[in-house]
Amino acid sequence: MPKPLPNPPAAKSQNVIFGLFEDEVEAALAALEVTQAAFLRARGFTGKAGALVVLPVTGGLAAWFGLGVRKTYNPLCFRALPGQLPSGVWRLKADAGLDRKSIHVAFQLGAYVFDRYKAAKALRDEVRLDAGDLDAEARDAIALEVSAHDLVRDLVNTPANDMGPAEIEAAARSLALEFNAQISVITGDALLRENFPAVHAVGRAAVEARAPRFIEIDWTPQVEDISDVRKPVIVLVGKGVVFDTGGLNIKGGAGMALMKKDMGGAAHVLGLARLIMGANLRVRLHVLISAVENAISGDAFRPGDIIASRAGLSIEVGNTDAEGRLILADALTRAAELSPDLTLDFATLTGAARVALGPEVIPFYTDDEEIARRLEVAAIAEHDPLWRMPLWAGYRDSLDSDIADLRNDPQGWAQAGSVTAALFLQKFAPTAGAWVHFDLYAWNPRGRPGFPVGAEAQTLRAVFRLIRGL
């Protein structure tokens, strides 16, 4: 289980964060000692979101932190503080109506550091937010949520030389062991015997130590009577391409630079599974990961090849750099065999998704109106930006092939690369229950306070809220 937040110190910290909305600032300044108020005014503190002024006070420090306008308030603004405040334990004074749990989660997420390869390790507890306003249950929930996000970020940040298919398997086994789940793994040529031909085709060019594999975790909650566990059956499907060279349709150097993060879908389903299992939600959970390296060798699959799929559909390979949808095809077919009520797949699938919505807003695709509505509500409630995109039927024939059942690269006239990728996956997705596809980025391309350049966990809060409410 994740490490809970520490209990508050016996003596209250004298370092205080004053979180103020813009409409509270004047009254707060009027109540201050004259020189302090003058200093804050001289620094131009108006409560603008993210504004921070730190000044010494008797016995400690005071940090004046702007929360902006009430109607646009986002608790994730607190992610900025761990990297900006002086070391120590801080108490928060702010509007009593604010969700303290969300604030603590944001603060802890902002304290994340990836220093595995640094000689000098960061002191992660240099800046802490006093948890004295929370009960033990809330502290445990915060620790669980933060650990799930940190798991995703650690996996994605780790370079491919230390994060191959075997390491994804190890992470999955560790998680299964922690929560008493069952796990099975099919590796290498056994994928052909067990009918995962598309996974094998994409991953077969890698060296034996990095052989492709299909990972499956099965979990039921800890309850006294198993009959207490009712539906839903939830299946999480993750794309685990540990490095994508593009295959024989090789990427250029710039295109390959971030391809260690092409296993971001696998990382996300493990993080989401940690949340579900750690919260002991009353669901039946299956986690399916296709883990491969899209390598180049004499055995690499080629443009023009026709490959088989678990669903029995033949696929013409027009582009070996459209490999993620191939390994997801087999995984989604396996998902359908589990009679799911809800199937969610996560993949760093297309650059077109970024052209459409950029790195911070994640497109999702579904033909289930109720699930779409719930996701949209959850995204707003959790400040976890999602945007529904269309499964536009008019583009389906762009996937037609003259010599196979379909092709993995759509014809150019369709243009909408993220949409056509989703349409490809829909051909393999379960028809029973709802299906949702998320086209992730899993990365912060620009650094800003609380959001350093590097891996980012996206969709976890909104999707967990959705599943918790089923």
Side-chain angles (χ1 to χ4, degrees):
M1 290 293 292
K3 182 180 178 182
L5 292 180
N7 289 320
K12 287 288 186 181
S13 165
Q14 296 304 304
N15 299 327
V16 181
I17 301 167
F18 294 96
L20 294 175
F21 290 104
E22 290 182 9
D23 61 10
E24 297 176 308
V25 171
E26 280 306 315
L29 293 181
L32 276 180
E33 188 268 329
V34 174
T35 57
Q36 290 184 13
F39 181 80
L40 287 166
R41 286 195 171 95
R43 293 296 302 271
F45 183 79
T46 62
K48 180 181 177 181
L52 178 67
V53 177
V54 180
L55 66 161
V57 294
T58 302
L61 298 170
W64 295 77
F65 184 55
L67 305 181
V69 180
R70 287 179 184 272
K71 67 179 181 179
T72 59
Y73 165 71
N74 185 339
L76 291 180
C77 66
F78 283 90
R79 280 182 67 153
L81 288 180
Q84 295 179 315
L85 291 175
S87 62
V89 180
W90 293 78
R91 287 187 294 120
L92 175 65
K93 289 189 176 182
D95 190 314
L98 297 182
D99 180 356
R100 268 6 190 216
K101 175 179 175 292
S102 295
I103 291 171
H104 279 271
V105 168
F107 195 96
Q108 291 291 315
L109 293 179
Y112 173 83
V113 176
F114 185 73
D115 56 7
R116 175 175 173 177
Y117 299 94
K118 293 278 192 179
K121 304 299 183 184
L123 297 176
R124 299 187 184 211
D125 291 332
E126 276 188 347
V127 180
R128 289 197 292 115
L129 189 59
D130 189 338
D133 56 344
L134 302 170
D135 59 25
E137 182 179 354
R139 290 200 297 272
D140 288 345
I142 292 165
L144 175 64
E145 187 169 340
V146 172
S147 72
H149 282 74
D150 286 356
L151 172 63
V152 174
R153 293 194 282 182
D154 281 348
L155 292 172
V156 175
N157 273 326
T158 302
N161 59 312
D162 287 328
M163 185 53 61
E167 285 74 23
I168 290 182
E169 176 186 335
R173 286 191 181 279
S174 176
L175 194 64
L177 179 65
E178 180 179 353
F179 293 103
N180 196 30
Q182 302 298 310
I183 185 169
S184 61
V185 181
I186 304 167
T187 305
D189 289 343
L191 290 164
L192 294 175
R193 295 192 296 272
E194 299 296 331
N195 195 23
F196 291 92
V199 178
H200 182 271
V202 174
R204 72 190 187 206
V207 297
E208 185 177 355
R210 299 171 72 84
R213 60 205 68 201
F214 187 80
I215 302 163
E216 183 166 343
I217 297 174
D218 300 325
W219 176 84
T220 55
Q222 300 298 306
V223 293
E224 291 184 3
D225 183 352
I226 195 65
S227 64
D228 289 344
V229 180
R230 301 177 298 277
K231 290 186 175 181
V233 175
I234 308 294
V235 182
L236 307 179
V237 176
K239 172 190 171 185
V241 178
V242 297
F243 193 81
D244 182 16
T245 64
L248 293 177
N249 289 113
I250 190 169
K251 296 176 182 287
M256 242 186 269
L258 288 181
M259 283 302 100
K260 70 175 185 179
K261 77 175 186 66
D262 212 20
M263 40 63 67
H268 275 73
V269 298
L270 291 175
L272 187 54
R274 170 174 279 284
L275 281 174
I276 293 168
M277 295 189 292
N280 203 36
L281 294 189
R282 296 302 197 262
V283 302
R284 302 293 295 268
L285 178 67
H286 302 272
V287 180
L288 310 179
I289 295 173
S290 300
V292 304
E293 179 168 15
N294 190 15
I296 300 172
S297 77
D299 196 29
F301 75 122
R302 296 164 289 268
D305 282 358
I306 306 293
I307 66 173
S309 69
R310 186 176 182 85
L313 296 175
S314 60
I315 305 169
E316 179 184 2
V317 177
N319 189 330
T320 61
D321 197 18
E323 84 299 330
R325 66 201 69 185
L326 297 176
I327 65 173
L328 288 173
D330 278 356
L332 287 169
T333 303
R334 171 57 185 153
E337 297 163 6
L338 298 168
S339 302
D341 295 288
L342 177 62
T343 302
L344 307 166
D345 80 67
F346 300 79
T348 50
L349 204 61
T350 70
R354 310 287 73 82
V355 173
L357 296 178
E360 297 172 18
V361 182
I362 302 305
F364 73 92
Y365 296 83
T366 184
D367 55 7
D368 188 293
E369 296 302 322
E370 176 64 15
I371 289 295
R373 183 192 66 78
R374 289 188 178 200
L375 264 176
E376 288 166 345
V377 170
I380 293 169
E382 296 293 335
H383 303 277
D384 200 1
L386 303 175
W387 194 263
R388 188 185 185 186
M389 295 279 277
L391 287 162
W392 184 250
Y395 298 153
R396 284 200 180 108
D397 58 354
S398 71
L399 298 170
D400 290 347
S401 168
D402 293 333
I403 57 174
D405 292 313
L406 71 165
R407 54 191 290 165
N408 78 325
D409 64 328
Q411 297 178 46
W413 61 261
Q415 300 184 60
S418 182
V419 177
T420 52
L423 289 169
F424 180 95
L425 296 180
Q426 189 181 32
K427 289 180 176 290
F428 300 89
T431 55
W435 162 70
V436 187
H437 162 59
F438 298 90
D439 197 337
L440 303 168
Y441 194 50
W443 196 261
N444 289 322
R446 65 176 176 125
R448 59 198 195 279
F451 296 81
V453 171
E456 185 58 76
Q458 300 170 316
T459 76
L460 291 194
R461 296 189 308 279
V463 173
F464 181 63
R465 187 185 186 99
L466 167 74
I467 294 172
R468 193 178 57 202
L470 292 176

